[in-house]
Amino acid sequence: MNLLRSALHGSVLLVAPLLVSLAVSAAQTPTHSAPAPAKQNGTAAPKSYPPALVESGGSLFRQDCSFCHGRDAGGGESGPDLTRSKLVTEDVDGDKIGAVVRNGRPDKGMPHFDFSERQILGLTAFIHSQQNTAITKKGGRKGVDVSDLQTGNAEAGKQYFDGAGGCATCHSPTGDLAGIASRYQGLELEEQMLYPKHAKSRVTVTLAAGQTITGTLDYLDEFTVGLIDPTGSYRSWRTSDVQYKVDAPVTAHADLLSKYTDADIHNLMAYLQTLR
Ligand code: HEC
Ligand code: HEC
């Protein structure tokens, strides 16, 4: 469990699936019901699952798995990309995924979870549908190559920043983003744009008696939630005693950016790279 703690401690809740998630979520709008594409190596038959099942699995995934495996199962800092996993490709209705989830791989940093049959099937449906999406997406291309970063048009990026992109409503090229290209280069800059790592998450804790406390998330694992309250004091509770809701600005930022096309992103990158 140490990995889980360190993955969560301090910084924001969601360890960035970064570029991968951009590409995957851009392709995500579809098609639970569309015919699934052929799997790479012809093992398990491609299958599409009922949308409601995929959806319930998706929300469970985001709650319990995404901080290691990425929001879209495309991999995070502490968990592998499940859309490229051979085990997932070979899985049939959870026979392999279920075993990993129930037993975990404690020595490798994968915790175990006590989930019902139904929950496992939901997770399985979600992970398979993410894999199908990732495979369909432009012949399996995921993420953005470093060379792609040089293909944008800075002038178009500036217009987008000031206009349709809405970036200027929160940012200024001479204010908070001044010199951004000197602070981060290339992919690192793009990652920072997609998942601003240093942004603090807010958390609201509701005590059993109904009182709520909102503050900056400071610590979270499966047992403990801790925050810095408005007076600057650290307070923490057992997760089993309270309800809590984390509001991560990084997630909102990524959601926002994933609406834009690849060309928009490339132009924005070209523009940001002029801010030295
Ligand atoms: C604390 C981080 C963490 C969390 C939380 C986590 N995993 Fe993992 N998971 C890992 C790591 C690390 C591995 C790789 C283990 C290894 O190298 O054998 C892994 C491996 C896997 C694998 C096997 C992939 C393969 O190709 O062998 C599956 C499937 C999986 N996780 C699913 C899940 C699901 C579903 C959840 C949520 C219920 C979840 N994981 C939660 C860290 C995590
Ligand atoms: C609703 C407000 C909002 C909008 C709109 C917005 N951002 Fe952000 N952005 C943020 C916040 C909050 C952060 C985190 C700030 C921090 O870490 O100090 C951030 C961080 C960033 C960072 C990293 C800054 C750093 O110093 O590390 C970049 C780059 C960035 N945004 C680019 C963009 C671009 C490009 C757009 C438009 C496509 C955009 N943002 C739209 C709120 C917004």
Side-chain angles (χ1 to χ4, degrees):
M1 268 303 135
N2 285 335
L3 235 171
L4 178 56
R5 283 167 190 275
S6 60
L8 288 174
H9 187 79
S11 66
V12 265
L13 175 63
L14 298 148
V15 180
L18 304 178
L19 312 171
V20 167
S21 110
L22 168 71
V24 173
S25 51
Q28 210 181 25
T29 4
T31 48
H32 303 307
S33 47
K39 295 229 175 179
Q40 285 146 320
N41 51 14
T43 41
K47 166 163 180 173
S48 55
Y49 290 88
L53 188 64
V54 173
E55 222 160 86
S56 72
S59 59
L60 187 58
F61 190 89
R62 278 189 261 278
Q63 184 183 314
D64 283 330
C65 323
S66 64
F67 43 78
C68 291
H69 291 290
R71 234 171 150 256
D72 302 308
E77 240 163 65
S78 52
D81 180 348
L82 298 179
T83 69
R84 293 190 179 179
S85 156
K86 188 157 174 287
L87 179 145
V88 169
T89 308
E90 290 168 354
D91 174 270
V92 180
D93 291 342
D95 61 346
K96 301 209 163 50
I97 294 173
V100 176
V101 171
R102 288 215 171 96
N103 303 325
R105 290 185 189 154
D107 51 326
K108 302 264 180 55
M110 164 76 198
H112 70 87
F113 296 83
D114 285 328
F115 283 146
S116 68
E117 212 52 59
R118 177 84 196 160
Q119 286 172 310
I120 296 279
L121 195 57
L123 285 170
T124 300
F126 174 74
I127 294 169
H128 279 300
S129 74
Q130 289 302 110
Q131 185 176 61
N132 290 340
T133 306
I135 293 169
T136 347
K137 168 80 180 168
K138 294 190 187 152
R141 172 180 161 255
K142 297 183 65 207
V144 179
D145 281 346
V146 184
S147 59
D148 284 353
L149 297 177
Q150 312 309 333
T151 61
N153 175 318
E155 188 48 40
K158 178 176 181 348
Q159 278 172 19
Y160 194 73
F161 187 96
D162 292 333
C167 319
T169 58
C170 298
H171 295 294
S172 154
T174 52
D176 67 330
L177 295 186
I180 182 99
S182 312
R183 294 199 294 272
Y184 309 102
Q185 265 96 43
L187 276 178
E188 204 194 351
L189 174 58
E190 179 152 352
E191 288 172 9
Q192 198 58 23
M193 171 169 86
L194 297 177
Y195 269 87
K197 275 195 266 250
H198 310 297
K200 290 281 187 200
S201 297
R202 307 278 297 164
V203 60
T204 299
V205 172
T206 306
L207 308 186
Q211 188 196 354
T212 65
I213 296 120
T214 297
T216 305
L217 182 66
D218 192 67
Y219 187 83
L220 180 65
D221 67 15
E222 72 273 47
F223 307 115
T224 307
V225 53
L227 57 72
I228 308 291
D229 76 10
T231 70
S233 310
Y234 177 79
R235 303 179 61 180
S236 68
W237 298 266
R238 296 206 323 222
T239 51
S240 53
D241 295 343
V242 297
Q243 302 211 302
Y244 62 92
K245 185 170 178 303
V246 175
D247 172 21
V250 282
T251 323
H253 211 258
D255 284 351
L256 190 79
L257 282 155
S258 64
K259 290 201 207 102
Y260 311 141
T261 66
D262 275 7
D264 294 335
I265 298 284
H266 294 157
N267 295 341
L268 276 172
M269 277 299 295
Y271 172 57
L272 291 179
Q273 287 180 91
T274 67
L275 304 179
R276 292 189 176 277

